[in-house]
Amino acid sequence: MYKACLFDLDGTLLDTVESIAHIANQVLAYYHLPSHPVEAYNYFAGDGADVLMERSIRAAGGDLACLDEARKMYRSMFAKDPLYHVTAYEGMTQTLQTLKSRGVKLAVCTNKPHPAALGAIYGVYGKELFDMIQGQVPEIERKPSPQCALLIADRLGVQPEDCMYVGDTDTDMITGRAAGMYTIGVLWGFRDRRELEENHAQRIIGHPSELLKIQKGE
């Protein structure tokens, strides 16, 4: 039985792609660049806000001389409206509550900037459900480095091999495996089964409730 479950945020715990696209496209408009369709952000996202803005500016044919300013603008705008069209995936709240009732430690390990991660999780799930939330901060290496995941396990007092790591992208699969955790890819997020398989997900699931059987070792 697994003692802890670490979750990616965007595309795993929360459907945030419309929120991400909404803010990023406003930044692009400020620089008179064309906006991208929402689905494009499924691939721009996943490696943190800074990388997301770089990818979106490049794809719009923009000059990266504006990148530092654009990154600051994105973070500032996101902080003002962190819950725009942000929702929990179907079945996720119930699954988290059941895991919590079993004594499983719950944590968030995300490349989303830390203040934005707190705002999104607290806004949708409240402040009591998760034992630890760790977003991107300068002193912790961004995923796919396992540093964040290993830090969380240490602070929760569990061994990496006693943790499930749940995410929706190649970055998450690499992170979880590098941390020595049981790595679970989800199909309701930003990427597809092929990407998860190619990056060696140890299990691939289509609904959050499947985590309940995995936690028991089934």
Side-chain angles (χ1 to χ4, degrees), residues 104-152:
V104 177
K105 300 289 187 182
L106 301 178
V108 179
C109 178
T110 177
N111 279 335
K112 200 178 197 72
H114 190 65
L118 293 176
I121 292 294
Y122 290 163
V124 175
Y125 292 111
K127 295 185 177 182
E128 305 301 322
L129 197 53
F130 288 92
D131 297 281
M132 184 173 174
I133 300 167
Q134 186 59 64
Q136 184 183 354
V137 293
E139 58 269 27
I140 298 176
E141 294 176 0
R142 193 175 65 236
K143 299 185 295 183
S145 165
Q147 185 180 6
C148 180
L150 292 172
L151 175 66
I152 290 171

Side-chain angles (χ1 to χ4, degrees), residues 17-18 20-22 25 35-45 189-191:
V17 68
E18 286 193 41
I20 290 168
H22 174 67
N25 280 337
S35 62
H36 299 297
V38 171
E39 55 268 23
Y41 287 92
N42 287 334
Y43 292 90
F44 296 158
F190 292 176
R191 309 288 173 81

Side-chain angles (χ1 to χ4, degrees), residues 49-59 64 67 71:
D50 290 349
V51 176
L52 179 140
M53 282 312 309
E54 180 179 352
R55 288 170 176 164
S56 60
I57 291 171
R58 284 185 186 276
L64 290 180
L67 183 56
R71 287 167 168 172

Side-chain angles (χ1 to χ4, degrees), residues 29-212:
Y30 177 83
Y31 294 105
H32 306 289
L33 295 172
S35 62
H36 299 297
V38 171
E39 55 268 23
Y41 287 92
N42 287 334
Y43 292 90
F44 296 158
D47 294 297
D50 290 349
V51 176
L52 179 140
M53 282 312 309
E54 180 179 352
R55 288 170 176 164
S56 60
I57 291 171
R58 284 185 186 276
D63 185 347
L64 290 180
C66 70
L67 183 56
D68 286 345
E69 183 184 48
R71 287 167 168 172
K72 292 175 183 176
M73 189 182 302
Y74 178 90
R75 289 171 182 265
S76 175
M77 293 174 70
F78 214 109
K80 292 176 183 177
D81 192 13
L83 296 177
Y84 176 85
H85 284 206
V86 172
T87 59
Y89 286 103
E90 190 274 325
M92 182 59 77
T93 300
Q94 299 91 329
T95 296
L96 293 170
Q97 290 171 341
T98 300
L99 290 171
K100 187 82 169 179
S101 72
R102 294 178 181 178
V104 177
K105 300 289 187 182
L106 301 178
V108 179
C109 178
T110 177
N111 279 335
K112 200 178 197 72
H114 190 65
L118 293 176
I121 292 294
Y122 290 163
V124 175
Y125 292 111
K127 295 185 177 182
E128 305 301 322
L129 197 53
F130 288 92
D131 297 281
M132 184 173 174
I133 300 167
Q134 186 59 64
Q136 184 183 354
V137 293
E139 58 269 27
I140 298 176
E141 294 176 0
R142 193 175 65 236
K143 299 185 295 183
S145 165
Q147 185 180 6
C148 180
L150 292 172
L151 175 66
I152 290 171
D154 181 65
R155 290 187 180 174
L156 295 180
V158 295
Q159 295 300 310
E161 59 266 26
D162 292 324
C163 300
M164 299 184 288
Y165 185 96
V166 185
D168 67 310
T169 70
D170 56 346
T171 296
D172 292 309
M173 299 305 99
I174 296 167
T175 301
R177 290 183 67 84
M181 299 177 178
Y182 188 75
T183 306
I184 302 165
V186 307
L187 294 174
W188 56 81
F190 292 176
R191 309 288 173 81
D192 58 19
R193 177 182 289 274
R194 179 177 178 180
E195 178 170 310
L196 299 172
E197 289 177 343
E198 288 179 348
N199 288 278
H200 312 294
Q202 290 166 279
R203 193 88 161 251
I204 296 176
I205 62 175
H207 192 274
S209 61
E210 295 178 62
L211 292 171
L212 300 178

